Every structure is written in C-alpha cells, then in structure tokens.
Amino acid sequence: MNPKKIFIEKIKEKGGWVNAHAHLDRAYTLTKKNFQYSYSTLEKKWYLVDEMKRLATEEDIYLRMEKALEYFLIQGTQALCTFIDVDEIIEERALKAAKKLKKNYGHSIHIRFANQVLKGVLDKKSKYWFDKSIEFVDIIGGLPAKDYGREDEHIDVLLNTAKKNGKLVHVHVDQFNTSEEKETEKLAKKTIEHGMQGKVVAIHSISLASHTRKYRYEIYQLMKKANLMVISCPIAWIDHTRSERLTPSHNSITPVDEMVPEGIIVAFGTDNICDIYKPFSDGNLWIELRVMLEACHYYDIDHLVQIATENGLKVLGILKK
C-alpha cells in the first residue's frame, strides 16, 4: 500500500488542491539583510514587515504574487485565498497588484482575496484603508490581537462590514499557543451574536490545544452552534518556541484530529512563503499536509482529502455547505 499515492490520486479526482490561506504579496521577500528578523516574535514581525512594504512597488508585489501562484498551478491547485496588506504603509499598491493578478489568472484558478489588517481596524488611519479595500476583496479579514484590549470592537467591525456587504469573514485567532488565549471562543460567540452562522472562519486556533480537554470540547460544541469553520496552517505554527507554561501535552498546531470527528469543517493553507515569518517555507502543499497529519497523528485519507479540497472550497464560499 502506498498511502501518499492513493491520497494524491484522490486529490486529482476532486479537482486539485485548495490552499485556503496564504500571503502571496509577501512571498519571496526574504533577503540576507532581513533574515535576522526571522527570529523575532510574531508581534514584532507585524511591524518589521513595514520596511519591506514601504520599499515595494506595485510591480514588485505583482511579480511575487505571480511567481507563487504559478507554483501552486504547477502543483494542480484549483483554488486559493490570499490575504493582501491594506494599510497606510503599503497604501493601494498591493490592492492594484491583486487586481492585475485576478485579471491575468482568474480564468486558470479560483482566486479569493482578503484584506490583511496588520494595523487593526479601529483607529482612523487603519479604518480608512480597511474601508478602501472592502469593495475589491472577496473576504473580510481580521486580526483581533492587533487591537489588543478592544478585540470585541474589532470583531464587531468585521462582522458588521461583512453583513452589510454580503461577504465571508476570515479571522486570525489564538496564535500564541497559550491557555491565556480564548479568541476562538470569543469569535464563535460573536458569530452567533451577529447572526453570522456559517459565514465565519477561524484561522489557526492554535491555543485551543493548550487548554484542558473539558474546555476544548466545550468550545467544539460552541463552534458547531456558530457553524464556525477553521483553517489550519501547520508549518506556520509547528515551529512555536518552547515555554515553561504547564499545559496538556500537545503540538503547536490546530487540533484537527479532534475537530473533524466533532463535525467541524477544517481546511488548510500554506500561510507565509519565504519571508521573515517563514523563511524556509516554499509553499509545497503535500509537505504542508504531511506536517498536519503527522503532528496530529491523523491518518484518515478520505478526511484528509476533504480538508485539502472540498472543505477548502467551502471556507472560500466556492462550494456551498
């Protein structure tokens, strides 16, 4: 038996891979000079990318996105979602590059765009650029931790905007692998409060794995009530540094092995490619999935195929649930 061969054949039968989460506008921005930033914390990297963004031209951004997209096409990818930076540093350059990419490649692959709000959505400048991107993007993107202390307001802005414009919402949550974080719970409750069941997706949800089993399964039930979907990016988080916190034994990865049997829709994505966030990541979808299945000790081929194909189409709104 060759499980990889069986898996790849089933992927082809389903129309190809679906990369549900990426940041193509930052792909291949790693240099000898900025490589040192790879060791910085996530919070610091949110600011360190400003240097690259400030210097990037529209053509630079487009060529990076095109190079990454071509690689995914070679792998047989049928659909992809990429976040694009939208703020006072990059201004409209990433948006314009994304429009050109959609025009040139929209016939070859389903492309969905979401706005990356690295400056938050609450202050005047960040809200201006957030609003400016809404008409173009397919999905409303969020990062509640960037508006620390005002996460509820951040999520309210996302969900109200999505309702008004009839769009899905993808939100980065629980990224720090600590039991102090409960953002997935917060997002699920807000989804129900806004009546957005089935239209919201949690990206990462790493910290769920650091909580007790009792809490995890309570949240899975809450997620089902909210019809909250999830995107796991295994390589993006398997490198999480050790800490001295006492938690249940776990890998720093979305607990896919628990979520899927509970009936939660899980998709997957590559996240960052060859930049200061993930310098060695090259966007290989098989390697991404291999890390997931090994880290979660989850070998159900049919379910893994669903994660890599149908579920990806669902979280992107291409395939109805």
Side-chain angles (χ1 to χ4, degrees):
M1 179 180 177
N2 185 332
K4 178 182 177 181
K5 183 177 180 180
I6 294 171
F7 175 84
I8 295 298
E9 286 300 317
K10 286 179 176 288
I11 290 287
K12 290 178 181 178
E13 290 171 6
K14 294 288 186 179
W17 298 91
V18 178
N19 181 358
H21 184 70
H23 292 272
L24 300 191
D25 56 339
R26 297 196 214 129
Y28 313 114
T29 53
L30 191 72
T31 65
K32 288 183 179 180
K33 180 181 177 182
N34 67 25
F35 182 79
Q36 62 182 314
Y37 298 156
S38 303
Y39 293 93
S40 302
T41 64
L42 177 63
E43 297 100 314
K44 287 184 179 178
K45 289 176 181 178
W46 289 344
Y47 296 96
L48 290 170
V49 292
D50 282 355
E51 178 183 337
M52 172 274 295
K53 287 158 59 177
R54 190 175 288 110
L55 297 173
T57 66
E58 179 187 330
E59 184 67 8
D60 292 335
I61 299 166
Y62 174 79
L63 290 175
R64 293 197 295 260
M65 296 178 79
E66 183 180 55
K67 179 180 178 180
L69 190 63
E70 288 280 3
Y71 180 52
F72 288 118
L73 287 172
I74 289 171
Q75 294 180 72
T77 306
Q78 60 174 310
L80 173 147
C81 177
T82 178
F83 273 60
I84 49 175
D85 287 319
V86 181
D87 53 50
E88 66 268 26
I89 305 297
I90 199 75
E91 297 179 323
E92 290 186 285
R93 298 192 298 281
L95 273 173
K96 289 179 177 178
K99 290 177 181 178
K100 183 178 178 182
L101 191 77
K102 193 164 191 175
K103 178 182 177 183
N104 292 344
Y105 285 89
H107 62 284
S108 302
I109 183 173
H110 294 289
I111 309 175
R112 295 291 183 268
F113 292 98
N115 46 349
Q116 174 69 349
V117 290
L118 271 184
K119 305 299 180 185
V121 298
L122 298 181
D123 69 43
K124 188 175 180 180
K125 281 185 179 179
S126 61
K127 185 61 163 57
Y128 171 82
W129 288 104
F130 173 78
D131 290 340
K132 199 170 182 65
S133 67
I134 297 305
E135 183 178 353
F136 172 70
V137 297
D138 307 286
I139 295 166
I140 307 300
L143 180 62
K146 193 61 190 64
D147 284 315
Y148 182 75
R150 302 175 67 188
E151 293 91 343
D152 283 0
E153 294 174 65
H154 183 110
I155 297 172
D156 286 337
V157 169
L158 303 181
L159 298 185
N160 284 328
T161 302
K163 279 192 290 187
K164 181 179 178 180
N165 292 274
K167 299 188 177 186
L168 297 175
V169 185
H170 285 200
V171 189
H172 296 76
V173 292
D174 284 344
Q175 299 183 89
F176 299 112
N177 197 32
T178 167
S179 57
E180 295 168 6
E181 276 195 307
K182 295 184 177 181
E183 289 182 335
T184 303
E185 176 185 356
K186 185 184 295 290
L187 182 61
K189 288 180 176 177
K190 279 290 183 182
T191 298
I192 295 169
E193 177 187 325
H194 284 263
M196 288 286 285
Q197 292 91 331
K199 298 177 182 178
V200 181
V201 180
I203 305 166
H204 303 315
S205 293
I206 304 303
S207 293
L208 265 180
S210 66
H211 286 272
T212 64
R213 177 183 174 84
K214 180 177 183 295
Y215 177 83
R216 294 198 309 273
Y217 278 84
E218 286 174 355
I219 300 307
Y220 300 151
Q221 294 306 309
L222 178 63
M223 292 169 74
K224 285 199 289 185
K225 289 180 181 178
N227 205 349
L228 183 67
M229 298 174 279
V230 179
I231 297 172
S232 174
C233 300
I235 291 176
W237 289 104
I238 200 66
D239 66 348
H240 200 281
T241 54
R242 288 180 292 276
S243 76
E244 297 304 307
R245 289 186 178 92
L246 297 178
T247 66
S249 296
H250 68 286
N251 286 314
S252 56
I253 192 168
T254 314
V256 174
D257 55 310
E258 294 181 341
M259 289 179 172
V260 174
E262 288 299 305
I264 295 168
I265 293 174
V266 178
F268 90 130
T270 54
D271 213 341
N272 297 77
I273 299 169
C274 195
D275 61 8
I276 65 170
Y277 287 88
K278 298 301 302 179
F280 290 92
S281 180
D282 63 359
N284 186 305
L285 290 162
W286 164 248
I287 293 177
E288 196 76 50
L289 194 97
R290 175 75 189 279
V291 170
M292 174 194 286
L293 67 88
E294 299 291 10
C296 293
H297 195 79
Y298 192 68
Y299 303 144
D300 188 306
I301 292 177
D302 288 335
H303 282 169
L304 291 169
V305 170
Q306 277 189 317
I307 289 170
T309 57
E310 294 173 18
N311 289 0
L313 295 176
K314 289 175 182 178
V315 303
L316 300 186
I318 297 170
L319 181 66
K320 299 300 180 183
K321 294 177 292 178

